[in-house]
Amino acid sequence: MDLDLRKLRYFVAVAEELHFGRAAERLHIAQPVLSRQIRALEDEVRAQLFLRTKRATELTAAGRQLLDDARPLLAAADATQRRVALAARGSKTFTIGFMPGLTVTEAVRGFGQAHPDLEIELIRTTWDDQVDVLHDGRVDVSIVRLPIDQAGLTVRPLFEEPRVATLPADHRLAGKPVIDITDLADEHLLQDPDAVPEWRDIAVELRTRTAKPVPVLRSVEEKLEHVAAGHGVSIIPLSVATFYQRPDVVTVPVDNLAPNTVCLAWIATRRARLLQDFATLATSVSWTP
């Protein structure tokens, strides 16, 4: 069975909207056309993908499985199109993604000297897209901060660095030379608790089920604005705290907190020589947190 990528894109739109009308508007097609395409896809995969009633549209178990598989498949297709288009134009470009707080100058300069005919581009990533940029072909390699979903990737450790607590300047713990993770048990964490399991295990708001929702934060700047406003605290790598210093936010070292691991990642199925060359160089340079 050959899956039609266009039908898969239609399916993903409906699965994300859970509404055929909104999905049709998003895709700029008529709703009857979308419905026919989804029925055709169901015939091809020999499974019902949606349960439709007058009140709601829901994914079936088969639909949920297809959604999990369709997203990386479509991202890989997009990445292939990008790379083929670049090759057709004769472009010799190598793109590196990197997370906030990381300085990639030494690796970039060394790679440029080794490949003087290569145009090297840089893209700053975030917690939300540091892996997505690999799967959709925006970058060739990405310098990431763990934890990430490593499925389909080759991941090579580069270095570890301490993490620190960021607090409002007038916080009761501001100015302490070091604190214990238990000192933050009463605080509201402005990030996914799973990213700081040491805090999650002792957090009062999780134990008493009084946790406030974590705002959607797309950048370090947004996170620090919330910290400065007294909305909560955050745990970030030391290099990020050093790079984004501001007078209304203080950083304090924390005992009992695992370091952050920085790694180089690329798509596991890619075997390009340039990838291997950059990986060799990246593991040999000095990374200073």
Side-chain angles (χ1 to χ4, degrees):
M1 176 186 65
D2 295 326
L3 287 174
D4 185 330
L5 293 181
R6 183 185 61 175
K7 291 191 184 77
L8 277 184
R9 294 187 195 280
Y10 290 172
F11 162 76
V12 169
V14 178
E16 292 178 345
E17 298 289 346
L18 290 179
H19 191 283
F20 275 74
R22 289 196 298 269
E25 291 178 4
R26 169 175 155 183
L27 295 165
H28 306 292
I29 63 174
Q31 184 173 336
V33 173
L34 177 59
S35 296
R36 287 196 298 271
Q37 293 294 317
I38 295 301
R39 285 196 297 270
L41 179 60
E42 289 178 324
D43 289 341
E44 290 175 9
V45 299
R46 298 178 183 178
Q48 184 178 1
L49 301 174
F50 296 100
L51 295 174
R52 300 178 67 179
T53 68
K54 292 182 178 180
R55 301 180 59 183
T57 297
E58 298 179 356
L59 283 165
T60 64
R64 290 191 294 273
Q65 181 61 59
L66 182 58
L67 182 60
D68 288 342
D69 292 336
R71 282 171 169 154
L73 183 60
L74 292 173
D78 290 341
T80 299
Q81 288 180 329
R82 284 192 178 96
R83 288 192 287 267
V84 170
L86 287 172
R89 294 198 300 266
S91 175
K92 297 193 66 175
T93 302
F94 190 85
T95 306
I96 303 165
F98 66 100
M99 283 287 284
L102 300 177
T103 301
V104 298
T105 308
E106 184 177 352
V108 171
R109 282 183 174 174
F111 195 58
Q113 291 168 357
H115 300 276
D117 59 336
L118 196 63
E119 181 180 349
I120 301 174
E121 297 183 352
L122 299 170
I123 294 179
R124 201 198 78 159
T125 58
T126 69
W127 283 108
D128 294 327
D129 68 3
Q130 60 175 334
V131 169
D132 292 344
V133 294
L134 287 166
H135 289 301
D136 64 21
R138 279 178 283 169
V139 304
D140 293 288
V141 296
S142 188
I143 301 172
V144 301
R145 294 188 182 277
L146 299 187
I148 60 170
D149 181 356
Q150 300 187 25
L153 302 178
T154 296
V155 178
R156 190 167 296 180
L158 296 176
F159 68 93
E160 291 184 338
E161 64 171 311
R163 293 187 293 167
V164 297
T166 58
L167 315 169
D170 59 356
H171 193 277
R172 60 185 173 83
L173 298 174
K176 296 277 188 181
V178 65
I179 62 175
D180 193 277
I181 191 64
T182 57
D183 293 327
L184 300 174
D186 292 326
E187 302 293 337
H188 175 54
L189 191 70
L190 293 168
Q191 60 205 102
D192 184 345
D194 287 342
V196 192
E198 299 91 345
W199 176 87
R200 180 197 60 203
D201 295 340
I202 51 93
V204 171
E205 69 174 19
L206 296 183
R207 190 169 62 249
T208 59
R209 304 194 178 195
T210 58
K212 296 176 288 185
V214 177
V216 177
L217 303 174
R218 298 177 180 84
S219 67
V220 177
E221 291 88 346
E222 290 179 8
K223 182 177 290 186
L224 295 181
E225 285 292 341
H226 280 274
V227 171
H231 297 162
V233 303
S234 186
I235 303 296
I236 63 176
L238 177 61
S239 62
V240 177
T242 302
F243 191 83
Y244 291 91
Q245 293 186 58
R246 47 187 293 172
D248 50 0
V249 172
V250 299
T251 59
V252 182
V254 184
D255 278 341
N256 317 115
L257 198 60
N260 176 239
T261 302
V262 176
C263 298
L264 179 68
W266 66 92
I267 298 298
T269 54
R270 295 193 63 196
R271 298 287 188 269
R273 176 63 183 271
L274 286 175
L275 291 172
Q276 301 302 323
D277 288 351
F278 186 80
T280 300
L281 176 66
T283 53
S284 67
V285 300
S286 174
W287 295 89
T288 304

